[in-house]
Amino acid sequence: METILKSEITCPDCGHKKVEEMPTNACQFFYECENCKTVLKPYEGDCCVYCSYGTESCPPIQENKSCC
C-alpha cells in the first residue's frame, strides 16, 4: 500500500480546512490554523496533529511503525 503524504487538517474551532504535506521524518506536534490562529495540539493518545485533525494519519502510522 502506498503511503499518502497529504492530509486535510480541519480546525475544530473555526472549521477551516487546508491540505498540507506531512513530514516523513518527524511528527508535527503543533499546527497553527491560518484562519483563526488557534494552535492545535494532538489529542491524548495521538502522536501528531495529522492523526488528530487530518483526513489521513501520519506516514509512520500508515506504515504500521511507531510514531516519534
Side-chain angles (χ1 to χ4, degrees), residues 26-67:
C27 287
Q28 188 165 339
F29 294 105
F30 301 103
Y31 178 85
E32 183 178 319
C33 173
E34 68 180 15
N35 185 57
C36 71
K37 307 301 181 199
T38 297
V39 176
L40 307 180
K41 295 181 280 188
Y43 293 128
E44 188 175 332
D46 284 346
C47 64
C48 67
V49 293
Y50 294 105
C51 289
S52 294
Y53 307 101
T55 53
E56 300 295 335
S57 299
C58 67
I61 297 298
Q62 289 181 50
E63 297 167 2
N64 294 318
K65 296 178 183 172
S66 65
C67 187

Side-chain angles (χ1 to χ4, degrees), residues 15-26:
H16 181 74
K17 297 176 186 246
K18 185 170 183 192
V19 175
E20 298 281 3
E21 185 147 346
M22 296 182 280
T24 58
N25 59 351

Side-chain angles (χ1 to χ4, degrees), residues 3-15:
T3 303
I4 298 166
L5 299 178
K6 293 196 182 218
S7 183
E8 183 178 57
I9 289 187
T10 302
C11 177
D13 286 354
C14 72

